[in-house]
Amino acid sequence: MATTLSTCCYIHYNSHKTTISAQKLKAINQNDKINNKNCIKRLQKRKLRTLAKPNNLSVSISLFRCVESGNLECALTLFEKMIIRTDPFVWNVIIRGLTDEGLFREAVDYYYRMQFEGVRGDSFTFPFVIKACGGLSLLMEGGKVHAKVTKIGLDVDVYVCNALIVMYAKLGLIECSEKIFEEMNVKDLVSWNSMISGYVSAGDGFSALTHFRKMLALGMKYDRFSIISGLGACSFENFLRSGKEIHCQIIRSGLGSDPMILTSLIDMYGKCGQVDYSESVFYRISGRNVIHVNAMIGAYVLNSKYNESLSCLEKMIRNDNIVPDTITLINLLPSCSKLGELKLGKSIHALAIRRGYCPHLVLETTLIDMYGSCQRVKEANLMFIRMKDRNLISWNAMISAYVQNGHGRVAFELFHDLLNEPFVPDEMTITSILPAYAEFALPKEGKQIHGYMTKLGLNSNSFVCNSLIYMYAKCGDLQGAKRTFDLKSSQRDIVSWNTLIMGYAIHGLGSISLRLFSRMLEEGVIPNGSTFVSLLSACSIAGLVEESWTFFNSMKKKYGIDPGIEHYGCIIDLLGRVGSLDQAKHLIDEMPLEPTARIWGSLLAASRHHRNIELAELAVHKISSLQHENTGSYVLLSNMYAEAGRWEDVERINYLMKKQGLERNVGWTRIESKGETCQFTNYDQSHAKIAIIYDALDIILTKIREVSNVDVSRFKPKDRRRQRENHPMFHSVRLAICFGLISSSVGNSILVRKNIRMCEDCHKAVKKISEITNREIVVGDTKIYHHFHNGHCSCGDYW
């Protein structure tokens, strides 16, 4: 009887939970009958010798039962009490139990301990040891086990080979999985499923579907795991037709009620852009659970149907009485980010805390992203600081939050902190930090980050290449942007073209932007909405009125692209440039889209340029109703009041800003000289050569007055104190230019970066400085690059 129980334990222990073959079972039973009497005699003798110690056979049975019931601690205690552990069975039970509980390191340790005690592993040992090596991502240890398997001749065992296929696929070595699979003499369903899922995990959906079809052609009967992997391949490759074929097979085979398969169907249709099909599957499920709802919400979010995702949650709670879980909240938070639903995002955060879902790495990282997108950097930073565990994605989310909200300097500091962590920056890290370099860096710093990316081997990534093009253009290095574009022809896509077109646009070189567009069409690249944003921006900045209207009108007629809010913003910029303020206001009133702060900002800029205070007041009112923290609009209106001598209105704007907790951005200008980056603020006194700089500025200002015979300042208030406070004579851009003049060789061009818009007085002054010094002076502000040469600016005096 005892021997029969032991045999049953072996059968239950089977790693794939399949019944043992009839032949093998018969052999075991015969062996049991032959040795039964001898076994009992040996046990009796052992019992007489060690009456106080547990019997190994009974302990083995108890050990197996403990593992089966999930009481691993009890099993380990019993294992350590065993006197004789020469039977591989007891080791296999322990290794299996540890592996099933995810204790991979302990499983591998017990395997080595088993070898040390002279117990030889068998076909039941190695599948779980191999699984543990895969779980720990231990390629070297996995290779050793593979070598051991080959040495003892178990490399032909189907279960061992299946485990090796899964391990190598998990470690990213799909070629090794392929080799093992192809060399297998016997392949079962698990072999095919392991290979198909391995391809999916490696991102090769095409090969996964090829093997799925080959499996069917060989007459293999698929199961739920085959179907789920096949649907995953369709999702990854966006193969809608193949997904529908698998759906038909699901219906024919009667697997249409399987909850995991239904979830995979919803996910597949959502990732293929067919939300209607996802809904059809979803609403036909009779007993919906939270997993189905999570898949449906995810499908809505993937297809930018954010309101529908929120409605799905509401219906889930109201109709199905389903409690949201962690995945539900993670799927919903992007909708809050895109819709700007900060209140709902905070509610989700509160729900996560109440239900004890936090700490949770993915959920907390998603919350950081949500707060960053909703312009709540403090909350995002607080979440980041309080996280017990952080991964690279968490760091990337926090860096991106700072960059999105204009805190480039803090993003730089956080990026440098990341370099001291045990994480290696990836392409998402670089694409997150590069916009900060684009906004604040100078060419030298841009080249440094480019060199660092090359060292990491990330410069071949298309997203990184496009970010590099943008960064170089925004750093003032158009040649660097063009060089990167030309060198990366294999990674070049529509985003690359759009970025370079925009790069030339912000430098006022609209004609080159238009030539690039023509070249893009010649190469067969189809323009998208972003292409026309770049083109219209180029036309607006360069003052190409007719071309701008031509492109705007061709969007819908020729390419079927509906003009978006950014396209209307470019046209309003253009109308403001030519002084058609009434037409711009009429276009805003008649446009089919709700005007945003960006639209009213364009009207405000035009009103400032043409001294229309009434229209500027309207624009500021609209902006403040849409964005409560838009400091720039108040500052611009305050400057217009100051120029007009309306000091009471200036005081009113200052009081309003103070009441709302808004502070003026501190203006600074940066310049590189002889490998050194210097930063100046208005009326700066901190630089080591500040006395020489002010002396040079005095000479230049005197020279300007001699040439122009006018005062470059337009401020004429009655109050002389206010005149001194608002005088632009010692603004940071002038100090930086003077430093550049005295620090560089005669005739060299000067490049400076400014963190806010350059004022009109400084613009006029720099034009004169370029004329009297016979130098090209390039000033990059928050909107465009001004190229000053011989008293002229590339912006055409409109910016």
Side-chain angles (χ1 to χ4, degrees), residues 310 320 388 517 554 612 614 616 711 720:
L310 300 178
D320 298 327
K388 291 184 178 179
F517 177 66
S554 70
N612 191 325
E614 292 74 17
D711 188 349
R720 307 309 290 178

Side-chain angles (χ1 to χ4, degrees), residues 314-451:
E314 184 181 350
K315 292 176 185 176
M316 170 180 111
I317 297 173
R318 186 180 66 246
N319 299 337
D320 298 327
N321 198 27
I322 297 174
V323 179
D325 64 4
T326 309
I327 305 301
T328 315
L329 305 187
I330 291 170
N331 286 350
L332 275 173
L333 283 170
S335 295
C336 301
S337 301
K338 297 297 182 181
L339 296 172
E341 289 284 353
L342 177 63
K343 187 175 180 181
L344 180 59
K346 286 185 173 181
S347 300
I348 291 174
H349 190 181
L351 177 64
I353 295 172
R354 286 199 305 271
R355 293 201 169 274
Y357 294 157
C358 291
H360 188 282
L361 181 60
V362 179
L363 178 59
E364 290 171 319
T365 301
T366 313
L367 280 166
I368 291 172
D369 183 72
M370 183 275 296
Y371 281 123
S373 298
C374 292
Q375 301 179 350
R376 288 293 188 274
V377 184
K378 290 182 180 178
E379 287 88 339
N381 183 52
L382 189 62
M383 174 66 64
F384 182 76
I385 292 171
R386 290 179 175 177
M387 288 180 72
K388 291 184 178 179
D389 297 309
R390 300 176 191 146
N391 61 8
L392 184 59
I393 300 173
S394 311
W395 285 86
N396 293 347
M398 194 63 240
I399 290 170
S400 180
Y402 279 126
V403 173
Q404 287 175 20
N405 291 276
H407 299 284
R409 282 283 138 209
V410 188
F412 287 154
E413 294 172 5
L414 192 64
F415 177 66
H416 291 140
D417 290 341
L418 171 61
L419 300 181
N420 296 322
E421 295 288 327
F423 302 117
V424 178
D426 61 4
E427 57 269 16
M428 290 305 300
T429 316
I430 299 301
T431 52
S432 296
I433 195 63
L434 275 177
Y437 275 89
E439 293 301 324
F440 299 104
L442 289 160
K444 180 187 174 183
E445 295 169 308
K447 290 175 181 177
Q448 287 175 344
I449 188 66
H450 189 176

Side-chain angles (χ1 to χ4, degrees), residues 14 37 102 217 233-234 236 247 327 384 448 470 475 507 516 539 574 597 725 728 767 785:
N14 189 316
K37 291 181 180 179
C234 297
F236 191 88
H247 193 174
I327 305 301
F384 182 76
Q448 287 175 344
Y470 176 76
C475 285
H507 283 265
L516 279 170
C539 293
L574 178 72
E725 289 176 357
K767 284 170 59 180
Y785 271 85

Side-chain angles (χ1 to χ4, degrees), residues 126-162:
F126 291 104
F128 291 105
V129 176
I130 292 167
K131 181 180 178 181
C133 291
L136 292 170
S137 299
L138 295 174
L139 177 59
M140 185 176 292
E141 298 300 323
K144 290 179 181 178
V145 175
H146 189 179
K148 181 73 173 179
V149 164
T150 304
K151 183 178 179 180
I152 63 177
L154 286 176
D155 56 331
V156 296
D157 185 274
V158 66
Y159 304 126
V160 173
C161 289
N162 291 343

Side-chain angles (χ1 to χ4, degrees), residues 58 136 149 209 308 524 632 719 791:
S58 62
L136 292 170
V149 164
L209 284 173
E308 288 84 348
D719 192 321

